[in-house]
Amino acid sequence: MEYGNFIASEWVAAAATRPVIDPATGTVLATVAESSAADVATAIRAAREAFDAGPWRTTTAQARGRILFEMARLVREHAAVLAELETRNCGKPIVESEFDVQDAATCLEYYGGLATKIHGETFSVPDNAINLTLKEPIGVVGLIVPWNYPLLLAMWKLGPALSAGCTVVLKPAEQTPLTMLEFARLVREHLPELPPGVFNVVTGDGPVAGRALVESMEVDKIAFTGGTETGREVLHGVARSNLKKVSLELGGKSPNIFFADCDLDAATDGALFGVFINQGEVCSAGSRVLVQREIAAEFIARMQEKTARIRLGNPLDRATKMGPVVSQEHMERVLAAIARGRQEARLVAGGGRAESLPQGCFVEPTIFESDNAAWIAREEIFGPVVTVIPFGDEDDAIQIANDTPYGLAAAVWSRDIFRCLRVVKAVR
Ligand code: NDP
C-alpha cells in the first residue's frame, strides 16, 4: 500500500517517502509520504483557504454535527479493517484495537452532538448595556498525534475542531499513520459533503513536518499530545512564530495507591491492568504502584505470579494479552531504562526482551521494587515497566504520590470510601 498526503480531498505526493513497519514482524506494511516543510505548507494553504474562503465557515452547526455522525458511522462500518490495521501498525492486541476503534466512533458522535450546543454567555453590566460573548472557531488548527492510540487520539482532536467549525491539518506519529490515512480514504470516498481542505493529513517526521505546523504563521492553534520534552519544543516554536493558541497533553508517572484493606485479588489485577495495558504505552499508566507496607510482600508475590501468565505474542491472536512495543527504537529505549533500573532497584519480574519472540519488538512485562527516589521510579518509561513502592501510612502515601514532576492521573484502592475520597483530594 502506498499513501501520499491527504490535501483538499486529494492524494498528493510529497518530496520523499518512508516505510511503515509492523513491530511484531519487522515487515514493511506500507509506504507513506515523508513531508518537507513545503509539503506541509501546501496542506496549511488548503486548510486556510477552506476556512477563509470556503463554505465551511457558513456551514451550520447542524450540518457539521451530521458530518461527524457520518464519520462515526464510517468508522463503525469499517471497524474490522481499521482495528486490524491499527494492530499491525502499532502492535497492540487486536481486542484492544477493536475497543479503540469503537471508542473513536463514540468520540466523533459525542462531538457531533456537541456542535449544536456551543454557547456564549450574557453578562449584566452597568449603564443598561448588554454584554455577550459568541463562541467562534479559532481557524486553522494543527493536530499532532502520538503513536500509542493513533486513531483514537486523532479523533480526540479532530472531533472538537470540526465540531467548532475549524479546519485542520493533522500529523500522525511517524511510526503509526496508517489508520488515519485509511480514515481519510473513507472520508474521500463516502463523505462528499465535507468541503475539500477542511480535513487534511500530512505524514512525516516531527522535527520537520510537525515543526512546520507549529511554526507556521498561518496556523491559529496547535493541539499536541506527546512527550514532555517535545511539548516544550512546541511551546518554543509557538513563541518563535505567531503566539498561536496551544494545548498540550504530555507525559506521566502516575501513582496507583493500594491500602492494606483493599481486595487483594482485584487490586493486583488493577495494578497489572493499570500499567501493562497497551504494553504500558499509555500516558496515564499507573507506573508507580504504591503499596502499604504490611501487604507489600504478598502484593508483590501475587503480581509476580499473575505477570508470569500474561501472554505475549502475535497481537492479531485474540488470546494475546501483550503485543510488541511500537518500534525497534522504542524497544531499545525501554530496554535501556530496564538496564538502568536493574542497577538501582530490585527486579521482581521480567527484565528484558522476550527472547522467545526474536522477530518482533517484544519486551517482557517488568516489575521493580524500590523507593520513590530511584530513577526508574521517577522517569516515564512508556513501556511495560512498573515500580512498586512500599509506604507506611496515609500521609506517607500522599507525600510519595505527589513527589513527582508529573501530575496526570492517579487511583486509590481501599475498602474505606472516606479514605479514598480524602486521598483523591490530597493527590495533586
Ligand atoms: P513525541 O513527543 O515524540 O511525538 C508526539 C508527536 O509529536 C508525533 O507526531 C511526533 O512526530 C511529533 N513531534 C516530534 N517532534 C516534534 C517537533 N519538534 N515539533 C512538532 N511535532 C513534533 O511522543 P511519542 O510519539 O514518542 O509519544 C509518546 C509520548 O507521548 C509519551 O511520553 C507520553 O507520555 C505522551 N503521551 C501523552 C498522552 C496524554 O494524553 N497526555 C497520550 C499519549 C502519549 P514524529 O512521530 O514524527 O516524531
Side-chain angles (χ1 to χ4, degrees), residues 18 34 143-149 153 156-157 171-176 203-214 224-231 233-234 248-252 281-284 326 330 333 380-382 406 408:
R18 73 150 65 211
E34 176 75 349
L143 313 178
I144 303 179
V145 180
W147 42 256
N148 57 341
Y149 288 86
L153 289 184
W156 284 15
K157 299 188 185 326
K171 194 200 88 63
E174 63 191 76
Q175 301 89 343
T176 57
T203 55
D205 193 22
V208 177
R211 184 171 173 175
L213 278 176
V214 167
F224 170 87
T225 298
T228 302
E229 279 315 308
T230 318
E233 270 299 300
V234 168
L248 303 173
E249 295 188 77
L250 309 175
E281 297 164 324
V282 182
C283 55
S284 53
V326 72
H330 187 57
R333 255 199 316 261
E380 181 180 49
I381 313 295
F382 219 65
Y406 297 105
L408 197 57

Side-chain angles (χ1 to χ4, degrees), residues 50-51 55-72 107-119 135-139 158-168 191 193-195 198:
F51 186 80
W56 191 237
R57 277 190 89 158
T58 52
T59 303
T60 63
Q62 287 81 358
R64 293 198 306 271
R66 277 195 295 273
I67 283 173
L68 285 163
F69 285 127
E70 192 53 22
M71 285 180 168
C107 175
L108 292 170
E109 284 157 357
Y110 176 85
Y111 286 106
L114 199 64
T116 52
K117 293 155 199 83
I118 300 172
H119 305 296
K135 294 277 172 82
E136 296 184 345
I138 289 172
L158 183 66
L162 296 187
S163 178
C166 295
T167 61
V168 312
L191 203 54
E193 309 88 290
L194 188 72
V198 171

Side-chain angles (χ1 to χ4, degrees), residues 6-12 46 184 187-188 191 194-200:
F6 183 72
I7 300 175
S9 297
E10 297 298 338
W11 294 107
V12 179
V187 166
R188 183 172 191 274
L191 203 54
L194 188 72
V198 171
F199 164 54
N200 308 278

Side-chain angles (χ1 to χ4, degrees), residues 291-331:
V291 182
Q292 202 156 18
R293 199 157 277 122
E294 53 260 50
I295 58 162
E298 168 74 9
F299 200 97
I300 290 168
R302 287 207 197 193
M303 280 179 80
Q304 196 175 25
E305 183 254 318
K306 287 181 179 178
T307 299
R309 285 191 263 134
I310 294 174
R311 183 156 159 187
L312 262 74
N314 176 0
L316 289 169
D317 181 342
R318 303 194 75 77
T320 293
K321 295 290 181 210
M322 200 186 276
V325 298
V326 72
S327 65
Q328 176 81 21
E329 190 191 1
H330 187 57
M331 178 176 71

